[in-house]
Amino acid sequence: QVTVVDKCRDSMQPVLCVGLVCLDQVTVVDKFPTEDTIQRSRDQYKVRGGNANNSCNVLAKLGFKSAFLGTLATGLEADWVVEGMRKDGVMVEDCPRYAGHTCPNSVVLTNIVTGSRTIIHTNLGLPELTLEDFKKVELRDFSWVHVEGRNKANVLDILAYLDQEKKVKFSVEVEKVNRGFEDFIPFGDVVFISKDVAQHHGHHSMDKAVAHFHPLLKAGGRLVIAWGESGACGWEAGEGFFMCPAFSPPGGVVDTLGAGDTFNAAVIGCLAGGLGLRRSVELGCQVAGRKVGFRGFGGLAEDAKDIIKDALNS
């Protein structure tokens, strides 16, 4: 018998994530360092990072086909990044590559006691994806397009084009403060807003945040706001405001790096698979709760994948 997730693999078109992939150098500590001191780390490793890359990786682990679209550098680090994406089942064939540029990278401090992560990002001028790059993609080849909030002018061009073409459902992230990314809100079919952005606007509860942002949506637009350890909430016409609880990992928090991208990816995959918004957000909370219980995303291919399979097959 072929399950729904098997059908997603075999016949459902890929989900396209547009944005950044970078190299993360993660240093694990048991306390955050004091400035101008020396302390030993507990561990160190390198992984791929970037919101769009992470979401692609999660989608693949959950059984969905995924494709990444973003600019790439050349050289050993960039080749390592691309090889890893392909090994994880992420399609990267449409990405423009720029010779002579350095792969963007992040230095990440992960505190194993608190579960926090502190990121210092470096991008030494790798060009951003342009509308002209994006137009080379056949939108009908995808079941969903998710756009990471990055270079404001370029992303606005891409969102306006998606809204005008109306060939595929799409979502956008409004994650960073003081970047003017709130201008993305009137475009997306689904808009993901971060707790940081909500609180930056003075809203310290989910219901007040939703009340502020949902009038900014386009007709038919839907809203999702992740609220960390308190879960997440959403809004859509007809349903109105709703909340979903967080799910704590059985063994405690180990690694929160990429938890937000995991949540977004799970929600997007479920929506692309035909589930409603409330159910998709609930599943996003469950999958993100599993993810913070282990390092990286590999563990999602086990029980988290089954959570999605069961939901799509019910």
Side-chain angles (χ1 to χ4, degrees):
Q1 182 181 359
V2 180
T3 67
V4 173
V5 168
D6 288 331
K7 290 179 181 177
C8 288
R9 287 172 169 168
D10 296 338
S11 61
M12 181 178 166
Q13 292 173 306
V15 174
L16 177 66
C17 297
V18 182
L20 175 74
V21 62
C22 64
L23 179 65
D24 284 356
Q25 185 73 39
V26 183
T27 299
V28 180
V29 297
D30 51 20
K31 65 177 181 177
F32 192 83
T34 303
E35 186 175 1
D36 203 25
T37 62
I38 298 174
Q39 80 179 55
R40 286 187 175 274
S41 67
R42 296 287 296 272
D43 196 5
Q44 190 175 71
Y45 57 94
K46 69 176 183 178
V47 292
R48 298 192 318 275
N51 291 14
N53 160 75
N54 290 344
S55 291
C56 278
N57 196 356
V58 171
L59 284 161
K61 295 292 187 293
L62 295 178
F64 297 98
K65 296 176 185 175
S66 68
F68 171 82
L69 182 62
T71 56
L72 300 171
T74 57
L76 293 177
E77 290 183 343
D79 289 344
W80 182 86
V81 164
V82 171
E83 181 183 357
M85 295 178 83
R86 288 177 172 152
K87 284 183 178 179
D88 284 330
V90 178
M91 293 175 276
V92 293
E93 283 69 29
D94 292 324
C95 296
R97 300 194 72 165
Y98 289 89
H101 285 272
T102 302
C103 181
N105 69 87
S106 293
V107 174
V108 183
L109 285 178
T110 297
N111 188 327
I112 60 171
V113 175
T114 65
S116 71
R117 83 285 186 278
T118 304
I119 302 171
I120 302 173
H121 182 66
T122 302
N123 187 337
L124 300 178
L126 179 69
E128 295 281 349
L129 193 79
T130 65
L131 177 59
E132 289 66 35
D133 295 325
F134 187 78
K135 283 183 174 180
K136 296 174 184 177
V137 173
E138 177 49 65
L139 296 177
R140 290 192 178 93
D141 289 343
F142 300 97
S143 62
W144 195 280
V145 175
H146 179 66
V147 183
E148 176 184 346
R150 291 190 51 73
N151 179 279
K152 181 180 174 182
N154 292 19
V155 169
L156 280 172
D157 287 344
I158 291 170
L159 294 175
Y161 174 72
L162 282 165
D163 195 39
Q164 176 184 333
E165 291 295 302
K166 292 181 169 50
K167 293 179 179 178
V168 62
K169 291 289 186 182
F170 66 98
S171 51
V172 62
E173 295 174 18
V174 181
E175 183 189 66
K176 299 179 177 68
V177 301
N178 293 321
R179 301 284 289 274
F181 290 171
E182 292 85 352
D183 291 350
F184 301 157
I185 295 173
F187 290 96
D189 294 314
V190 176
V191 179
F192 290 86
I193 294 177
S194 69
K195 179 182 177 182
D196 287 345
V197 169
Q199 292 184 335
H200 177 72
H201 284 267
H203 306 298
H204 297 278
S205 66
M206 289 189 246
D207 57 340
K208 290 181 179 179
V210 166
H212 173 84
F213 288 112
H214 88 72
L216 306 178
L217 298 167
K218 69 180 182 183
R222 297 181 282 178
L223 178 67
V224 177
I225 306 180
W227 212 264
E229 61 187 16
S230 297
C233 63
W235 183 93
E236 62 180 331
E239 170 87 8
F241 169 75
F242 63 86
M243 295 171 56
C244 298
F247 290 79
S248 299
V253 174
V254 173
D255 177 20
T256 61
L257 185 64
D261 301 325
T262 300
F263 170 81
N264 291 351
V267 174
I268 292 161
C270 290
L271 290 171
L275 296 182
L277 184 66
R278 179 194 282 266
R279 182 63 174 137
S280 297
V281 171
E282 181 182 61
L283 289 163
C285 289
Q286 290 186 46
V287 172
R290 292 291 202 282
K291 182 267 159 290
V292 299
F294 48 77
R295 179 189 293 180
F297 303 109
L300 294 172
E302 299 170 8
D303 61 343
K305 181 178 177 181
D306 290 337
I307 291 171
I308 301 298
K309 178 186 70 174
D310 293 343
L312 291 174
N313 202 29
S314 61

